[in-house]
Amino acid sequence: MVNATKGLCITCDIPMAQFIINMNNSLPASQKFIIHVLDSTHLFVQPNAAEMIRGAIAEFRDRNSYEKPA
Amino acid sequence: MPQVRIIAKNFMDMVASLPAMKLDNLYSNAFICEAILRSLPPLAKKYVLQMLCIDGPISAKSMQEWVLADGASKHKVAVDRLLQLRIFTETVDRKRETSYRLNPVFQSNLQKLLVSGEVLPGEPLPSSITARLPSLEELDVFAIEQWECFMLQLINSSQAERPSNISSSTMKVFQRGLLTQRDKEAPRLTESGFQFLDRGVDPADLISFLLELSFHVTGEAYNISSLTDIQRETIKDLADLGLVKLQQGRKESWFIPSKLATNLSMSLTDSSSRKQGFVVVETNFRMYAYSTSKLHCEILRLFSRIEYQLPNLIVAAITKESLYNAFENGITAEQIISFLQQNAHPRVAERIPSVPENVTDQMRLWEADLNRVEMIPAHCYDEFPSREVFEGACEFAREGNGFLWEDSKKMRLIVKAEIHKNMREYLSRSK
């Protein structure tokens, strides 16, 4: 019987993929969201992880920002 | 069928995109015919004038011979535009040969125009009644002021000095139309700006009124009582936008069309209304805008950080954070770049490119940085009973346009969530 799993297919560049895998490994086992690592640029994750991944990427992006005080 | 799609970026394009019946009705008005003739590309104008006195159809082949080989694409664009405007009607006869002929109503109107010369729609009032006519400069200043106040209201409703007289419902319609497109153009009535006119008034009437208005002489006063009721209603809104100026004497009231109105039916080849640019962008991401207008300041504030505002100069800096703000509001880097290029100060306008490449490239990179990860809802199928079922499922996914990933060694297939149902049926069928 063919097994069907619902999830999210993520396509990104290699550094981003590593970032997501690293984030996944730092979480406790009950919260890990990566189902399969397909290759260096594709991942298959749980559907409810989308917002969490987007938030983590935005936070990572903002870490390098400096806003001159007005 | 015309193969060239006209993207309505200005008033004439919007007229061209009306449905066929409305266009045919419009052509009964001689001014509209003349305005549309002015707006055609040069080759199309030549064709119309050549066909003006010919009653029968002309075969497409002989028209093709009117141009040299390297003008073939311009010929195609011209013919398609004429077909779309229903000025040319195409007929295919029994020998499978296409031929074109000129729309008869259009043709007779233009012939009358040639014979009788240009007739103005209304006579200007004698100056004995209109005591204080504003000079052309005053009229221009008024028009630009009104238009800018209106645009300012749209962009930032807390900054306008004078409350506008435009009703709040029209403002909302405008906001919906303009904000979804994020047009950053200044005084040229764009297609989106015309959506507010479709408020229960037949657009064809409005278009013919606007086109008649554009044939009036700038700066001359025309009696309001010469307008129909519908036109009278709209003229008040047009005054708020700066297209006309309303004035009242003791007994009569009149309107004076401004440059904005007469430019509506401008010929495509006449580019004398190019405004002077005012923005200088430097390679260190600094922007200097030689302008006093609040509207320009607000537009720049949308995507850059304003550092100083001096009496004749606005100094701004393009930063990552300011650009991210703009991207969140739906503005694309391409729009910002084209705005800067179109409004480049004359001192830098001759330089190619007018905006430094490092600035444009960095803006596009910052925009791309926001979309590094692409997420697609999907389903993963594994534990296939046999290789044939697996291969068949892959084929099915490819045909249904839902294929995302396959791993032949582990016999795992990933497919878009949209076709999950079809996949399920296919798999239960192939058991």
Side-chain angles (χ1 to χ4, degrees):
Chain A
M1 243 309 283
V2 187
N3 221 1
T5 326
K6 191 165 142 158
L8 213 56
C9 181
I10 294 190
T11 314
C12 54
D13 48 3
I14 301 184
M16 268 299 131
Q18 288 306 308
F19 176 74
I20 297 177
I21 293 174
N22 191 35
M23 185 171 76
N24 184 63
N25 293 341
S26 65
L27 288 174
S30 55
Q31 287 174 0
K32 288 200 202 288
F33 51 82
I34 296 188
I35 306 179
H36 301 294
V37 174
L38 303 171
D39 75 354
S40 53
T41 52
H42 293 77
L43 305 166
F44 192 71
V45 306
Q46 284 172 359
N48 46 12
E51 280 320 303
M52 186 169 61
I53 296 178
R54 263 191 255 267
I57 294 177
E59 193 240 320
F60 173 64
R61 193 168 49 225
D62 289 338
R63 258 187 260 164
N64 291 338
S65 296
Y66 169 70
E67 182 81 40
K68 182 168 114 176
Chain B
M1 264 308 289
Q3 281 140 357
V4 174
R5 205 169 66 89
I6 314 270
I7 303 173
K9 279 207 213 101
N10 58 39
F11 181 60
M12 291 316 299
D13 283 338
M14 197 200 79
V15 172
S17 60
L18 286 176
M21 279 252 318
K22 292 223 170 115
L23 266 184
D24 285 338
N25 286 342
L26 277 185
Y27 285 149
S28 48
N29 182 332
F31 292 105
I32 299 188
C33 296
E34 193 181 340
I36 294 208
L37 179 66
R38 282 191 196 172
S39 76
L40 291 173
L43 201 55
K45 270 189 224 175
K46 174 175 179 290
Y47 288 162
V48 169
L49 291 175
Q50 268 178 295
M51 308 266 288
L52 199 53
C53 298
I54 303 178
D55 277 328
I58 301 219
S59 79
K61 275 215 202 82
S62 57
M63 277 191 75
Q64 192 88 18
E65 286 164 18
W66 291 350
V67 277
L68 295 175
D70 53 352
S73 63
K74 288 200 192 131
H75 168 85
K76 191 158 192 17
V77 167
V79 169
D80 280 344
R81 175 89 180 185
L82 289 170
L83 279 174
Q84 201 184 49
L85 286 170
R86 295 182 56 83
I87 299 179
F88 267 18
T89 41
E90 188 177 345
T91 42
V92 183
D93 62 8
R94 274 159 302 159
K95 280 181 274 177
R96 304 290 212 93
E97 300 216 335
T98 40
S99 54
Y100 302 118
R101 60 166 306 214
L102 213 49
N103 183 326
V105 175
F106 191 80
Q107 191 172 17
S108 61
N109 268 330
L110 277 186
Q111 280 172 344
K112 264 189 262 168
L113 208 61
L114 269 184
V115 168
S116 58
E118 184 151 313
V119 172
L120 279 179
E123 282 305 313
L125 285 178
S127 52
S128 53
I129 305 186
T130 66
R132 272 183 327 110
L133 268 188
S135 70
L136 280 178
E137 292 82 30
E138 281 173 28
L139 201 56
D140 272 349
V141 165
F142 166 75
I144 306 262
E145 223 179 70
Q146 291 284 72
W147 182 252
E148 287 206 353
C149 183
F150 169 68
M151 295 286 282
L152 204 55
Q153 274 231 323
L154 280 183
I155 295 184
N156 190 342
S157 42
S158 59
Q159 290 247 357
E161 286 174 335
R162 261 179 313 143
S164 166
N165 300 328
I166 308 184
S167 67
S168 57
S169 58
T170 13
M171 286 298 289
K172 283 206 194 72
V173 175
F174 242 122
Q175 263 165 333
R176 247 183 295 131
L178 283 177
L179 286 180
T180 46
Q181 291 201 5
R182 277 288 154 178
D183 237 11
K184 282 131 78 64
E185 309 220 330
R188 253 196 342 144
L189 282 177
T190 60
E191 175 243 347
S192 52
F194 273 95
Q195 283 162 6
F196 94 100
L197 292 177
D198 297 311
R199 271 183 304 137
V201 189
D202 184 14
D205 286 336
L206 274 167
I207 292 176
S208 49
F209 175 47
L210 281 168
L211 281 173
E212 274 192 38
L213 199 58
S214 65
F215 281 100
H216 287 67
V217 180
T218 318
E220 295 281 336
Y222 294 90
N223 202 333
I224 282 201
S225 50
S226 64
L227 302 174
T228 68
D229 287 325
I230 306 178
Q231 293 174 337
R232 240 175 282 207
E233 266 179 41
T234 45
I235 202 131
K236 175 140 194 329
D237 282 324
L238 295 180
D240 283 331
L241 284 177
L243 283 176
V244 301
K245 186 172 171 102
L246 294 174
Q247 271 186 330
Q248 259 182 324
R250 258 178 309 158
K251 284 190 242 165
E252 322 255 331
S253 48
W254 55 84
F255 67 93
I256 308 169
S258 73
K259 249 217 190 102
L260 288 181
T262 46
N263 277 347
L264 273 178
S265 70
M266 212 176 58
S267 159
L268 253 189
T269 47
D270 172 20
S271 52
S272 57
S273 76
R274 253 311 86 215
K275 268 183 8 217
Q276 259 233 334
F278 59 95
V279 179
V280 179
V281 184
E282 286 186 341
T283 51
N284 57 355
F285 291 81
R286 287 281 202 121
M287 260 196 329
Y288 299 92
Y290 290 88
S291 157
T292 49
S293 142
K294 273 226 177 75
L295 175 66
H296 289 155
C297 186
E298 282 308 306
I299 293 182
L300 293 176
R301 205 184 292 269
L302 282 175
F303 61 87
S304 63
R305 195 187 60 216
I306 306 273
E307 309 241 348
Y308 316 114
Q309 234 178 316
L310 302 171
N312 68 335
L313 178 66
I314 303 170
V315 180
I318 300 181
T319 64
K320 183 164 74 147
E321 293 74 30
S322 66
L323 277 179
Y324 278 170
N325 266 339
F327 297 148
E328 262 166 49
N329 282 331
I331 309 176
T332 65
E334 280 316 311
Q335 286 172 326
I336 300 177
I337 293 171
S338 63
F339 171 76
L340 290 174
Q341 280 171 339
Q342 280 170 7
N343 289 297
H345 194 273
R347 290 292 289 273
V348 286
E350 288 94 45
R351 182 178 175 272
I352 297 171
S354 43
V355 180
E357 310 90 333
N358 68 327
V359 175
T360 54
D361 286 346
Q362 187 60 59
M363 284 206 268
R364 294 194 186 109
L365 282 174
W366 275 329
E367 190 184 31
D369 196 32
L370 288 177
N371 311 327
R372 279 179 87 167
V373 175
E374 192 188 331
M375 303 197 193
I376 308 173
H379 280 86
C380 171
Y381 300 97
D382 52 6
E383 289 173 33
F384 282 89
S386 70
R387 187 150 283 275
E388 289 83 29
V389 181
F390 174 69
E391 305 280 335
C394 286
E395 260 321 297
F396 182 76
R398 268 183 243 260
E399 278 162 30
N401 239 342
F403 177 80
L404 283 177
W405 182 265
E406 71 161 344
D407 188 343
S408 330
K409 271 193 308 210
K410 299 187 202 155
M411 288 221 281
R412 198 188 279 161
L413 174 64
I414 303 200
V415 149
K416 281 193 203 158
E418 295 133 10
I419 63 169
H420 171 58
K421 257 213 178 116
N422 303 350
M423 275 302 281
R424 253 205 332 231
E425 287 166 12
Y426 171 83
L427 287 170
S428 49
R429 264 186 316 197
S430 63
K431 279 290 173 307

